[in-house]
Amino acid sequence: MLDFVALDVETANARRGSICAIGLVVVENGSIAQRYSWLCRPPESIGHFDGFNVGLHGIRPEMVAGEPRFSERLDHALAIIGDRPVIMHNAGFDTCALRQACDAEGTSWPTLRYGCTLVWARRELDLVSYRLPFVAEALGVPLESHHDAAEDAEACARIFLAMADKRGSATVEEFGTTVGARLGELRSDSWRGCVSGSSQGLVAPIVVTDAAVDHPLHGQVIVFTGALSRRRQDAWDAVARLGATPEPGVTKRTTRLVIGGGFTGDSQDEFMTGKAAKALKLRQKGQPIEVLTEFEFEWLLRMAS
């Protein structure tokens, strides 16, 4: 049975935790049942409003002045979500925003199972861009006011319903299994993305030793952790073509660690996976491991195109 809740957040500034709006859309048995749109006061320590963000969503400081704080809105949202899976478009951003907002207000992270229509659309569709408006248009989903939290949440819900219908999936879990991307999990002290990070079943590719030696990844030993937008095997194959060696775990050989799952590289507080923690310890001992975000990794791949 297709029961889930679609979620979207908007932020007051470039700090992901500065949540000022939450949109929820409840889907029951494959049909939209309820829709919620809430403003909230972002965490005080990171709650200033930037003109760029205001220009996107139109939410101004005076509009949230009398609203409940983020933590109160989150409690209400979690009561509605219950034990249903949550669907987001670019879940790496939204789950990171939830974590950072909770940290800023000194509250525990929520417990959620979640999927990402951005990740899934990249596996199911062939588009020039996988931003929400492009995916919505490709699937015939209306999106009248992008960056309105409830509008975006409803578009996300309809996008997933369209993809699940094409696959004939009866549940969110079944769809994730079918496309090879398990649901992610957010817990009070840890998280993992909705793309499997397991190295089981990966095939070590042949490293192209005569690849361009001037490419920044040539000769590196690369490990991946967290959710990536591309399949892990595809990432391994891509770096091998550039003359790099992919490996499943961080060791004394590792020279590059690519962290997915919405990692931005802004703070070591975001190094939440076991591989990332091990890399930090090795760096403290003098091993020259460089950490890359998924965006930086993809940019390096495009250099070779």
Side-chain angles (χ1 to χ4, degrees):
M1 189 182 305
L2 278 174
D3 290 350
F4 62 91
V5 178
L7 178 146
D8 183 76
V9 302
E10 297 297 328
T11 60
N13 56 67
R15 298 289 296 273
R16 294 190 180 193
S18 62
I19 295 175
C20 60
I22 299 175
L24 288 182
V25 170
V26 178
V27 174
E28 296 176 348
N29 198 23
S31 298
I32 292 177
Q34 295 170 301
R35 169 172 155 156
Y36 301 89
S37 180
W38 302 316
L39 296 179
C40 63
R41 283 180 288 158
E44 188 172 354
S45 61
I46 53 174
H48 64 279
F49 280 75
D50 283 348
F52 176 81
N53 293 66
V54 172
L56 288 177
H57 50 56
I59 302 170
R60 300 182 302 278
E62 59 270 23
M63 295 170 64
V64 304
E67 299 291 341
R69 288 212 168 274
F70 158 76
S71 55
E72 296 177 57
R73 288 298 196 200
L74 178 61
D75 287 343
H76 193 185
L78 294 176
I80 292 169
I81 292 168
D83 61 358
R84 288 176 286 208
V86 176
I87 305 296
M88 295 163 273
H89 195 81
N90 193 2
F93 176 89
D94 290 292
T95 55
C96 180
L98 292 174
R99 297 196 313 269
Q100 291 190 5
C102 288
D103 289 345
E105 292 204 342
T107 60
S108 298
W109 296 351
T111 297
L112 300 172
R113 293 178 300 125
Y114 65 89
C116 179
T117 51
L118 173 63
V119 170
W120 291 339
R122 281 175 170 151
R123 297 190 174 201
E124 296 292 276
L125 307 173
D126 183 13
L127 303 177
V128 66
S129 169
Y130 294 90
R131 293 176 55 244
L132 186 65
F134 286 85
V135 179
E137 182 180 8
L139 294 174
V141 170
L143 179 59
E144 296 181 2
S145 183
H146 186 30
H147 292 299
D148 175 280
E151 284 281 321
D152 286 357
E154 182 167 338
C156 175
R158 293 188 183 279
I159 284 169
F160 176 71
L161 288 171
M163 291 194 294
D165 181 64
K166 287 185 177 182
R167 283 284 188 175
S169 300
T171 66
V172 174
E173 290 82 0
E174 181 182 322
F175 179 84
T177 299
T178 301
V179 301
R182 69 188 180 192
L183 294 188
E185 290 185 353
L186 177 59
R187 298 182 180 277
S188 62
D189 59 353
S190 63
W191 61 271
R192 67 170 174 82
C194 64
V195 179
S196 175
S198 173
S199 60
Q200 295 181 358
L202 291 176
V203 177
I206 297 175
V207 177
V208 180
T209 55
D210 60 350
V213 296
D214 58 345
H215 191 279
L217 296 182
H218 186 277
Q220 304 299 322
V221 177
I222 302 176
V223 175
F224 298 92
T225 186
L228 299 178
S229 297
R230 63 172 63 214
R231 297 177 189 272
R232 189 62 55 93
Q233 184 68 59
D234 291 342
W236 276 37
D237 294 344
V239 298
R241 288 193 293 270
L242 297 175
T245 302
E247 292 189 345
V250 174
T251 68
K252 292 182 179 180
R253 288 169 38 83
T254 307
T255 60
R256 299 288 185 274
L257 176 66
V258 179
I259 305 181
F263 172 75
T264 61
D266 293 336
S267 168
Q268 290 188 7
D269 293 339
E270 297 180 50
F271 286 54
M272 299 303 299
T273 72
K275 292 177 183 177
K278 187 173 182 179
L280 283 180
K281 290 181 180 178
L282 289 172
R283 276 192 57 84
Q284 291 168 359
K285 295 179 179 179
Q287 184 169 335
I289 299 178
E290 180 180 344
V291 173
L292 301 173
T293 66
E294 183 180 9
F295 176 83
E296 291 167 334
F297 170 67
E298 292 291 340
W299 182 79
L300 289 174
L301 293 186
R302 287 194 293 272
M303 284 180 59
S305 301

